[in-house]
């Protein structure tokens, strides 16, 4: 019996349509990676001067409580001046934008990059991802539209986002996952791989450039994880869900802390006050709770048995509060990297409280839950949690743990606000 239920063959994009995209994607990948490496390298040099050379010359401790308070407050003042005086005020309020945004005018980009470099060097708990992606999207859109006006304007932003994600993580996988998630539910001409062809080329080029120049590594060197057992399944489910709940506490508090700083109305009040609060938090939690958190995560995970449960709890709470304050008061930065620190500290806290929780299980589950709450991007959360432990068997556990954790966060407010200050859902 014949049937009409047979699926029609999917239309594919011919190679002659995809090939002209290769060179622009390669160029965007290299440029985006070099911009990321340039800003990061400049910030690292400035950080060395501010936190080592200068306090040594003054004969005081670089990470003493007094120096942390002074440096974070000063960072707030300097970044406040940039946001106040720079053309375009260093971009929109970072609390209202996500990982990718509409292209910014070119005159805004210098102020945004300067504010980002100063923030990274000064110690606030934010990463480079959001402002670097925004700068690369704006630059690619501006230059690309002039050089190749026949190309779809929106493609330049997609290429820049993918290239920057590849550069940030040293692999194109994260970019492919993010772009695939963004394409879900959209009408596409051709197959998914046709749509991913140019962005994946840009992401791979950006990742390769970063790898050759910067040699990034995300493996924390935690104890090797053997084949999973039933106890590991229980551990990953509980830790990931608890971390998601912890992250949602910050998400629900976000509109209120943002509104509190908004009452100050001027960046020369909002950012210095935010810097002062961050300095006090740093004095409470110690130097590991400063900066974007990637290097600090490695130091934290180097000796999982060398810290008490109380210390891990303090680090978790202080870093979460620091992320909340830094994201609310106007510092230009992203939330993924500090969230990784929070999840790592929370996972090691679980191991300290219950030694049967394997450190790799605790860390990956903690990072997964926090990232799901903070970013609301499932693939990125799974990817980042998996690469930290470099253990293929744990990926199965993470996929299972993501299900209850996702139920706890989906449909709820996100850590991103509308222009009127209300939470995005």
């Amino acid at each position: 019996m014949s049937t009409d239920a047979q699926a029609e063959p999917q239309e594919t994009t011919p190679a002659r349509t995809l090939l002209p995209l290769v060179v622009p994607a390669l160029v965007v990948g290299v440029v985006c990676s070099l911009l990321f490496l340039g800003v990061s390298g400049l910030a690292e040099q400035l950080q060395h001067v501010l936190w080592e050379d200068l306090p040594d010359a003054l004969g005081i401790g670089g990470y003493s409580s007094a120096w942390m308070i002074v440096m974070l407050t000063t960072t707030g003042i300097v970044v406040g001046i940039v946001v106040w005086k720079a053309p375009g005020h260093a971009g929109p309020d970072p609390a209202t934008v996500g990982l990718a945004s509409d292209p910014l005018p070119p005159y805004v980009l210098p102020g945004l990059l300067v504010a980002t470099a100063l923030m990274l060097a000064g110690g606030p708990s934010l990463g480079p991802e959001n402002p670097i992606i925004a700068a690369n999207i704006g630059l690619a859109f501006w230059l690309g539209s002039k050089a190749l006006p026949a190309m779809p304007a929106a493609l330049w932003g997609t290429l820049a986002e993918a290239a920057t994600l590849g550069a940030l993580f040293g692999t194109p996988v994260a970019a492919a996952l993010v772009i695939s998630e963004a394409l879900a539910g959209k009408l596409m001409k051709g197959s998914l791989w046709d749509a991913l062809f140019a962005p994946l080329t840009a992401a791979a080029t950006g990742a390769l450039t970063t790898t050759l120049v910067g040699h990034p590594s995300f493996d924390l060197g935690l104890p090797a994880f053997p084949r999973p057992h039933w106890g590991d399944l229980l551990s990953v489910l509980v830790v990931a869900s608890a971390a998601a709940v912890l992250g949602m506490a910050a998400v629900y508090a976000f509109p209120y802390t943002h509104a509190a700083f908004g009452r100050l109305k001027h960046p020369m009040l909002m950012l210095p006050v935010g810097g002062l609060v961050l300095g006090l938090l740093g004095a409470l939690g110690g130097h590991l709770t400063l900066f974007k958190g990637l290097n600090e995560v490695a130091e934290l995970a180097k000796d999982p048995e060398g810290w008490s449960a109380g210390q891990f709890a303090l680090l978790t709470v202080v870093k979460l509060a620091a992320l909340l304050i830094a994201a609310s008061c106007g510092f230009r930065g992203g939330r993924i990297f500090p969230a990784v620190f929070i999840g790592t500290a929370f996972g090691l806290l679980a191991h300290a409280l219950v030694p049967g929780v394997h450190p790799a299980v605790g860390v990956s589950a903690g990072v997964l839950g926090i990232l799901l709450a903070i970013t609301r991007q499932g693939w990125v959360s799974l990817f980042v949690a998996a690469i930290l432990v470099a253990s293929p068997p744990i990926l199965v556990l993470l996929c299972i743990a993501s299900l209850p954790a996702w139920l706890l966060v989906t449909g709820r407010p996100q850590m991103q606000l509308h222009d009127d200050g209300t939470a995005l859902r």
Side-chain angles (χ1 to χ4, degrees):
M1 183 176 64
S2 62
T3 177
D4 296 329
Q6 294 178 348
E8 295 182 3
Q10 189 177 32
E11 182 182 359
T12 58
T13 304
R16 64 177 179 273
T17 302
L18 298 177
L19 281 174
L21 304 177
V22 172
V23 173
L26 292 173
V27 173
V28 169
V30 172
V31 172
C32 288
S33 175
L34 292 178
L35 182 64
F36 160 64
L37 291 170
V39 172
S40 298
L42 177 63
E44 288 175 4
Q45 293 297 319
L46 183 57
Q47 177 182 333
H48 184 81
V49 171
L50 295 177
W51 293 91
E52 295 182 27
D53 294 346
L54 185 56
D56 286 347
L58 296 174
I60 58 178
Y63 292 110
S64 65
S65 296
W67 188 251
M68 284 190 277
I69 294 171
V70 168
M71 278 307 310
L72 269 298
T73 305
T74 303
T75 300
I77 294 171
V78 176
V79 174
I81 293 173
V82 175
V83 173
W84 178 27
K85 293 295 187 180
H89 303 291
D93 181 355
T96 64
V97 294
L99 199 59
S101 58
D102 294 332
L104 297 173
Y107 66 84
V108 177
L109 304 184
L112 176 61
L113 292 174
V114 170
T116 302
L118 291 171
M119 181 280 299
L120 291 172
S125 294
L126 293 172
E129 59 275 14
N130 287 39
I132 294 295
I133 290 175
N136 276 333
I137 288 176
L139 186 63
F141 181 84
W142 178 52
L143 295 178
S145 298
K146 290 181 178 296
L148 295 172
M151 279 186 61
L155 182 58
W156 293 110
T158 303
L159 292 178
E161 180 186 1
T164 311
L165 286 170
L168 282 163
F169 293 104
T171 170
V173 175
L177 295 174
V178 170
I179 301 300
S180 298
E181 197 167 1
L183 291 173
K186 293 185 178 180
L187 292 176
M188 294 182 297
K189 182 180 179 181
S191 68
L192 175 62
W193 277 101
D194 290 334
L196 286 176
F197 180 81
L200 193 57
T201 302
T205 307
L208 183 60
T209 303
T210 298
T211 300
L212 293 175
V213 177
H215 312 290
S217 176
F218 288 87
D219 184 7
L220 297 181
L222 290 165
F225 177 67
R227 61 189 299 267
H229 300 282
W230 290 110
D232 298 318
L233 176 60
L234 178 61
S235 298
V236 77
L237 288 170
V238 172
V239 175
S241 298
V245 171
L246 178 66
M248 286 307 303
V251 171
Y252 276 106
F254 190 43
Y256 299 99
T257 55
H258 181 266
F261 282 102
R263 294 189 186 97
L264 300 177
K265 298 186 182 301
H266 198 282
M268 284 305 295
L269 292 174
M270 296 166 61
L271 284 154
V273 170
L276 173 60
V277 176
L278 291 173
L280 294 171
L281 286 171
L284 175 64
H287 73 279
L288 289 182
T289 60
L290 303 179
F291 307 106
K292 64 182 180 183
L294 194 57
N295 294 331
E296 290 72 24
V297 160
E299 185 174 346
L300 193 65
K302 187 165 54 179
D303 184 15
E305 312 297 335
W307 305 73
S308 68
Q311 289 173 311
F312 283 128
L314 178 64
L315 291 169
T316 301
V317 172
V318 169
K319 188 68 172 182
L320 186 65
L323 169 59
L324 186 60
I325 297 300
S328 298
C329 70
F331 282 110
R332 273 49 181 169
R335 299 152 204 162
I336 291 179
F337 289 108
V340 169
F341 181 97
I342 297 165
T344 300
F346 185 79
L348 293 175
L349 166 62
H351 169 69
L353 291 173
V354 183
V357 176
H358 193 281
V361 171
V363 167
S364 58
V367 170
L368 173 66
I370 287 288
L371 284 178
L372 285 174
I374 299 296
T375 70
R376 213 57 57 87
Q377 295 194 353
W379 284 124
V380 168
S381 302
L382 272 170
F383 168 77
V384 175
I387 64 171
L388 291 175
V389 298
S391 177
I394 212 166
L395 187 56
V396 176
L397 296 177
L398 292 177
C399 289
I400 296 172
S402 68
L403 302 177
W406 181 255
L407 291 176
L408 290 169
V409 304
T410 187
R412 302 184 186 278
Q414 300 183 35
M415 202 169 186
Q416 182 179 341
L417 306 178
H418 294 289
D419 292 335
D420 62 0
T422 58
L424 184 70
R425 285 182 179 268

